[in-house]
């Protein structure tokens, strides 16, 4: 690389990617957080789901490892008939 060259725009050697060496795991937990009211007449249940998506890659050339964890949270409100 020449002195003063911008490393973000310099051409780099492409990395061989072997998708067989990627592993993935998903962990999740859902819990009911009780009743809420959508309006004066409509009760609903609030359910929160939390997930962790983890991807792992091992480079077969030098055994270096990369791990990416992506958190996700979802809140769902489900209406139910009033009793």
């Amino acid at each position: 690389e020449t002195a003063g060259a911008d490393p973000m725009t310099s051409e780099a050697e492409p990395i061989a990617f072997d998708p067989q060496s990627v592993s993935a795991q998903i962990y999740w937990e859902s819990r009911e957080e009780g009743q809420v009211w959508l309006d004066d007449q409509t009760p609903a249940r609030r359910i929160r789901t939390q997930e962790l998506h983890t991807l792992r890659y091992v480079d077969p050339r030098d055994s270096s490892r990369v791990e990416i964890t992506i958190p996700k949270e979802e809140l769902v409100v489900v209406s139910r008939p009033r009793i």
Side-chain angles (χ1 to χ4, degrees):
E1 189 172 83
T2 58
D6 183 356
M8 299 306 282
T9 58
S10 299
E11 286 192 33
E13 176 183 329
I15 297 173
F17 180 71
D18 178 11
Q20 296 176 15
S21 60
V22 175
S23 66
Q25 290 181 316
I26 300 174
Y27 297 99
W28 74 92
E29 174 185 29
S30 293
R31 63 182 179 271
E32 188 162 339
E33 296 186 333
Q35 182 171 293
V36 296
W37 290 89
L38 301 178
D39 56 36
D40 288 341
Q41 301 294 318
T42 311
R45 293 180 5 217
R46 183 168 52 194
I47 302 167
R48 184 177 308 269
T49 301
Q50 295 174 316
E51 300 177 8
L52 285 177
H53 296 244
T54 302
L55 302 171
R56 292 180 186 89
Y57 171 72
V58 178
D59 190 329
R61 296 175 300 169
D62 62 2
S63 297
S64 61
R65 299 173 187 268
V66 175
E67 181 175 297
I68 299 170
T69 300
I70 304 164
K72 177 182 174 186
E73 183 173 67
E74 182 175 58
L75 184 61
V76 177
V77 178
V78 180
S79 64
R80 57 182 171 193
R82 189 171 186 187
I83 298 175

